Amino acid sequence: MSEGNVAADQLRLFIERIERLEEEKRGIADDIKDVYSEAKSQGYDAKIMRQCVRLRKMETHDRQEAASILKTYANSLGIQGAFLL
């Protein structure tokens, strides 16, 4: 088998793996969407839930820094109230 055929076969295998993973990713995204829909039907706010998920992914220090900056900006704009992020 020539080197060109081997490279083409290897490239095809990479592309096929990526395609399979993309399909799995779409399936997982659909599952997540279903969970948010279910939570919404139970009275939860999906937008706030997404923010909670985003906050939980952040390191504590990063979350605190972002909250501090948000508070500073809000105060500068005259926005009153408690902010999480």
Side-chain angles (χ1 to χ4, degrees):
M1 190 178 272
S2 73
E3 214 174 283
N5 287 342
V6 171
D9 287 342
Q10 187 177 38
L11 176 61
R12 182 184 48 77
L13 291 174
F14 283 134
I15 297 298
E16 288 172 355
R17 282 174 54 196
I18 291 168
E19 289 170 341
R20 281 191 300 274
L21 291 169
E22 289 289 341
E23 183 60 35
E24 288 177 27
K25 186 168 74 170
R26 278 189 293 278
I28 291 170
D30 288 342
D31 291 345
I32 292 170
K33 183 178 175 184
D34 291 343
V35 172
Y36 280 115
S37 293
E38 182 180 346
K40 185 176 180 179
S41 73
Q42 296 292 318
Y44 293 98
D45 186 319
K47 181 178 176 182
I48 301 302
M49 290 177 62
R50 289 179 196 281
Q51 287 180 334
C52 289
V53 170
R54 186 172 48 92
L55 287 169
R56 286 173 54 112
K57 287 180 186 178
M58 295 174 75
E59 295 290 330
T60 301
H61 172 73
D62 294 334
R63 187 172 48 246
Q64 291 170 340
E65 181 180 2
S68 177
I69 293 169
L70 177 60
K71 184 177 178 180
T72 300
Y73 287 8
N75 288 337
S76 295
L77 296 171
I79 300 172
Q80 302 285 325
F83 291 94
L84 283 176
L85 203 42

